[in-house]
Amino acid sequence: MPVNHTEYMAIAVSEAEKAALKDEVPVGAVLISDTGDILSRAHNRTIEAVDPAAHAEILAIRKGAIKLNNYRLLNTTLYVTLEPCMMCMGAIVHARISTLVFGAKDPKWGAAGSLYDFPNDTRLNHRIEVVTGICEEDCMKIIQDFFKQKRKHVATD
């Protein structure tokens, strides 16, 4: 059965929009099983949760692990609107997620090929398939619009 990456990424984008409404950096994530079932979905909540680790990916991984009652998320795919950072890529590797699909690259923080390249680091004991550029324009637009709005508020204050 072919996977419809666009369909799942659209769900991640809707999660990112929820984050933006809360004035959180708009990143969304969706974890799916190998049968295509949604295991979890999440968005950034670092401010709301007063937790620097409350990134969308970490929250989706935690919820998925609870749902599966297993800290290893074998044969799962994680969809994220923005390339994961080092912390999130570390969690993705530890969770043994099979595939990472993300929309927009993050040249300042990305650890899936931009700044760091965890998936291709042979020193790590788990390999992750990475698919990039899914709904890239939508994913990039939501983050760019968020920061443009932030800069506009700073300029008027």
Side-chain angles (χ1 to χ4, degrees):
M1 165 175 87
V3 178
N4 186 344
H5 291 313
T6 305
E7 176 185 330
Y8 293 113
M9 190 60 77
I11 297 168
V13 168
S14 73
E15 286 294 319
E17 289 167 347
K18 291 177 189 176
L21 291 173
K22 297 176 182 179
D23 206 30
E24 299 271 3
V25 174
V27 176
V30 178
L31 182 69
I32 66 160
S33 70
D34 58 347
T35 60
D37 296 323
I38 295 174
L39 298 171
S40 63
R41 58 179 79 195
H43 55 273
N44 274 4
R45 293 184 53 237
T46 57
I47 298 166
E48 179 184 7
V50 193
D51 179 359
H55 288 197
E57 302 94 322
I58 300 291
L59 299 174
I61 288 168
R62 287 176 180 164
K63 290 177 188 176
I66 289 168
K67 185 165 189 172
L68 293 176
N69 195 32
N70 194 335
Y71 71 101
R72 290 206 168 153
L73 303 174
L74 304 171
N75 304 312
T76 60
T77 299
L78 183 64
Y79 289 83
V80 187
T81 56
L82 185 66
E83 180 181 1
C85 69
M86 296 171 286
M87 174 182 69
C88 293
M89 279 307 302
I92 290 165
V93 170
H94 280 288
R96 306 297 195 271
I97 290 171
S98 300
T99 307
L100 167 67
V101 180
F102 68 86
K105 290 187 177 285
D106 187 350
K108 293 184 180 181
W109 288 94
S114 290
L115 184 61
Y116 295 98
D117 195 3
F118 283 30
N120 290 310
D121 190 330
T122 57
R123 296 169 295 180
L124 301 175
N125 67 341
H126 177 65
R127 296 289 162 271
I128 301 157
E129 178 186 352
V130 178
V131 178
T132 66
I134 304 299
C135 303
E136 183 174 14
E137 287 182 24
D138 293 339
C139 294
M140 203 176 298
K141 182 174 177 9
I142 193 168
I143 200 113
Q144 287 174 339
D145 288 352
F146 176 81
F147 284 109
K148 279 180 192 170
Q149 194 66 26
K150 283 282 190 201
R151 286 190 296 275
K152 187 185 291 183
H153 278 59
V154 170
T156 59
D157 287 345

